[in-house]
Amino acid sequence: MTNEILYDIVNCYDIDQPAITFLRHNENRTYRVDDALGKSYLLRIHQPVKESMVGLQHTYAGLLGELEMLDALASQSRLIVQSPLRNREDEFITVVEYEGQRLNCSVLTWLDGRDLQKEDVANRERVKQLGAQLAELHSFFLKYPHEGLENRPSQGIAYNLGMIETIKEGLKLELFTSSDLSIIEDTIVFINAHLEKVGHTSDTWGLIHGDLGLGNIIVTTEGKLSFIDFGFFGPGYYRTDVAMGAQLIPAEHRDTFLESYYGHTNLNFDELILLEGYMLISIIGFYAFMIGNESVHEWMRENMPQLCADHCLPYMKGERIFYKV
């Protein structure tokens, strides 16, 4: 993308003498924008590097749902978040024409800090902080209006079934064996059977972050935690976020995380089965989302057999994997 187009986009906002630095091109094209006053911003051009990554979150309506939520989250909660800027037309989204495509663009405030590291979650106090902040995020989502969010990604039973079809593409690419694919399909069907019993109640289903990983949690320069990259924000099971958070944490600290989130660790047997199921779904979801990314294909070939043998099969046999995944 040319500098001329980039500056045309940024000049739609009240940013004085912007200097633009490319960051990366993955789910979006991202750039750091520094102004004459020393303030910084994040420019996102919502064009994934691979066509297979395109989703509802990249549409105008879907993106608007994310930005409106972030605006409310920044103003109505104590959480540290990147808030969206409005352009000179008082809109959150700037649309540009590029190589025959209409691309949606957004600008967020910059957040100084670094990605959460494995060393951070080896610290019990940091784990407690993470659990408490996830609980606060979900508390905000409970009160946030759900109307109009049908344009956001939804991570439910249908989403899980869709992953089966996506994973089948990996068989064509010789990433997985038919045996591994069969185990993955059985695992998803097994988990969905439990989810059908749970249903969509206010305690189980609502709005979630949907993509909690080390790279989507920032440790600020003040030592606080901040959730970023709400690209998969939308309807889903709350335990999806809880499971993703637990996966980041060493097994010996996972009870601490649950206690900080729930206020207790007394999960009954069915709740633990579901939490383990969400952990497996999130791992399988990563494979599905990255199926078109050749750079991780070799990693998939090496790790899929281990996922099936060490986690999926024991889980379906009734063994507990919460402290092994």
Side-chain angles (χ1 to χ4, degrees), residues 33 43 74 106 109 128 132 143 194 208 223 225 235 247-248 255 261 291 311 316:
V33 181
L43 167 63
S106 62
T109 54
K128 289 171 64 176
K143 298 176 289 185
H194 285 286
I208 61 172
L225 297 182
Q247 277 180 237
L248 305 178
D255 281 344
Y261 176 81
I291 207 79
H311 302 304
M316 288 188 289

Side-chain angles (χ1 to χ4, degrees), residues 44 62-72 84 92-93 106 108:
R44 303 184 302 173
L63 176 58
L64 184 60
E66 175 195 349
L67 297 173
E68 289 177 338
M69 182 279 295
L70 283 176
D71 187 53
F92 282 132
I93 301 174
S106 62
L108 306 177

Side-chain angles (χ1 to χ4, degrees), residues 219-252:
V219 181
T220 70
T221 51
E222 293 81 21
K224 298 181 180 180
L225 297 182
S226 172
F227 300 123
I228 65 168
D229 194 349
F230 284 78
F232 281 94
F233 152 74
Y237 295 97
Y238 291 120
R239 289 189 189 89
T240 297
D241 279 350
V242 178
M244 288 180 176
Q247 277 180 237
L248 305 178
I249 297 165
E252 62 268 23

Side-chain angles (χ1 to χ4, degrees), residues 9-299:
I9 296 169
V10 174
N11 287 333
C12 293
Y13 298 81
D14 289 319
I15 300 176
D16 187 27
Q17 300 179 44
I20 304 174
T21 304
F22 174 75
L23 297 176
R24 68 172 188 167
H25 187 189
N26 193 6
E27 295 167 46
N28 306 301
R29 296 177 185 265
T30 56
Y31 302 81
R32 175 171 175 153
V33 181
D34 298 296
D35 72 6
L37 300 176
K39 292 183 179 180
S40 300
Y41 307 90
L42 176 68
L43 167 63
R44 303 184 302 173
I45 300 174
H46 298 270
Q47 180 192 35
V49 66
K50 296 291 183 180
E51 187 67 26
S52 60
M53 295 181 174
V54 175
L56 287 173
Q57 65 271 27
H58 296 101
T59 65
Y60 188 96
L63 176 58
L64 184 60
E66 175 195 349
L67 297 173
E68 289 177 338
M69 182 279 295
L70 283 176
D71 187 53
L73 184 60
S75 62
Q76 299 172 22
S77 79
R78 297 176 299 174
L79 294 172
I80 301 170
V81 295
Q82 295 173 288
S83 57
L85 272 65
R86 293 183 181 271
N87 60 26
R88 298 181 192 275
E89 302 298 321
D90 199 34
E91 301 289 346
F92 282 132
I93 301 174
T94 299
V95 181
V96 297
E97 296 280 347
Y98 178 69
E99 294 183 343
Q101 289 183 284
R102 288 173 59 85
L103 300 179
N104 299 315
C105 309
S106 62
V107 175
L108 306 177
T109 54
W110 185 263
L111 193 61
D112 284 320
R114 59 172 176 81
D115 290 352
L116 189 71
Q117 305 292 325
K118 289 184 177 180
E119 296 76 24
D120 294 313
V121 291
N123 180 287
R124 189 171 182 271
E125 292 304 311
R126 184 69 80 190
V127 170
K128 289 171 64 176
Q129 185 183 7
L130 180 60
Q133 291 204 198
L134 181 57
E136 188 167 350
L137 178 65
H138 285 174
S139 178
F140 169 81
F141 283 157
L142 274 169
K143 298 176 289 185
Y144 187 75
H146 292 205
E147 293 77 14
L149 293 180
E150 63 275 3
N151 297 304
R152 295 296 307 167
S154 179
Q155 297 188 43
I157 289 175
Y159 170 83
N160 296 346
L161 290 174
M163 284 197 295
I164 295 174
E165 298 307 311
T166 304
I167 292 292
K168 286 179 179 178
E169 295 299 313
L171 188 62
K172 299 176 184 177
L173 296 170
E174 299 183 344
L175 301 180
F176 318 128
T177 66
S178 57
S179 175
D180 286 340
L181 176 62
S182 179
I183 292 170
I184 292 298
E185 184 170 359
D186 289 345
T187 302
I188 291 175
V189 171
F190 183 85
I191 294 167
N192 275 355
H194 285 286
L195 294 179
E196 287 173 355
K197 296 177 184 177
V198 170
H200 291 181
T201 69
S202 59
D203 292 333
T204 61
W205 179 268
L207 299 175
I208 61 172
H209 180 284
D211 191 19
L212 287 181
L214 293 174
N216 287 341
I217 304 172
I218 295 293
V219 181
T220 70
T221 51
E222 293 81 21
K224 298 181 180 180
L225 297 182
S226 172
F227 300 123
I228 65 168
D229 194 349
F230 284 78
F232 281 94
F233 152 74
Y237 295 97
Y238 291 120
R239 289 189 189 89
T240 297
D241 279 350
V242 178
M244 288 180 176
Q247 277 180 237
L248 305 178
I249 297 165
E252 62 268 23
H253 290 323
R254 286 181 179 169
D255 281 344
T256 298
F257 173 73
L258 295 181
E259 184 174 9
S260 183
Y261 176 81
Y262 287 111
H264 63 83
T265 57
N266 299 320
L267 297 184
N268 64 42
F269 187 72
D270 290 338
E271 288 174 326
L272 184 58
I273 289 175
L274 281 171
L275 192 58
E276 292 173 332
Y278 295 119
M279 294 175 106
L280 291 177
I281 286 292
S282 68
I283 297 171
I284 297 168
F286 174 79
Y287 281 88
F289 183 68
M290 300 297 288
I291 207 79
N293 189 343
E294 293 89 349
S295 67
V296 295
H297 280 181
E298 190 57 37
W299 180 91

